[in-house]
Amino acid sequence: VQLQASGGGLVQTGGSLRLSCAASGSIADINAMGWHRQAPGKERELVAYISSGGNINYADSVKGRFTISRDYDKIGVYLQMDSLKPEDTAVYYCNVVAGSGIHYGELNYWGKGTQVTVSS
């Protein structure tokens, strides 16, 4: 199963982008779906995730500006990014965590990433 992220691009400060991520096949026992990002010279960081139960968490730096959602009919996760800032510039990766019972959280699927560039 592969994850394909799309929707990145170049936008001016204050602009918006919507990232989409879809899986090429089925994934059983999904625990959570989310987005991470990695800026040049920095470590990958969690941006937002949504659990199978619908709990949502955001990084403090994006709270109030980004909105994560998922499609329950198909394996898709989305990130609406508003009021973008230059510091949001990074490669954004979608992520699916899966596993059940004693294997909870053991499976990690990653997309290849999509570049988001915010100009000042």
Side-chain angles (χ1 to χ4, degrees):
V1 176
Q2 294 183 338
L3 300 181
Q4 182 64 50
S6 61
L10 173 63
V11 65
Q12 292 185 334
T13 296
S16 297
L17 286 173
R18 178 176 170 84
L19 304 184
S20 299
C21 178
S24 61
S26 62
I27 300 176
D29 303 316
I30 292 176
N31 308 139
M33 304 178 73
W35 292 89
H36 293 67
R37 68 185 181 186
Q38 187 166 19
K42 295 187 177 181
E43 294 186 351
R44 189 174 296 190
E45 63 174 355
L46 176 66
V47 176
Y49 75 84
I50 180 168
S51 73
S52 57
N55 293 319
I56 293 175
N57 276 274
Y58 296 99
D60 289 341
S61 59
V62 307
K63 283 181 181 177
R65 300 187 298 120
F66 290 11
T67 303
I68 189 171
S69 60
R70 64 172 290 183
D71 188 326
Y72 285 88
D73 292 331
K74 56 184 179 181
I75 301 175
V77 62
Y78 311 94
L79 189 67
Q80 177 66 41
M81 305 186 295
D82 299 317
S83 303
L84 283 161
K85 305 175 180 180
E87 50 263 45
D88 295 318
T89 295
V91 177
Y92 284 70
Y93 300 89
C94 58
N95 170 237
V96 173
V97 182
S100 63
I102 61 173
H103 301 292
Y104 186 92
E106 287 188 354
L107 297 176
N108 266 274
Y109 301 85
W110 291 92
K112 287 187 177 181
T114 183
Q115 176 70 48
V116 171
T117 303
V118 184
S119 62
S120 58

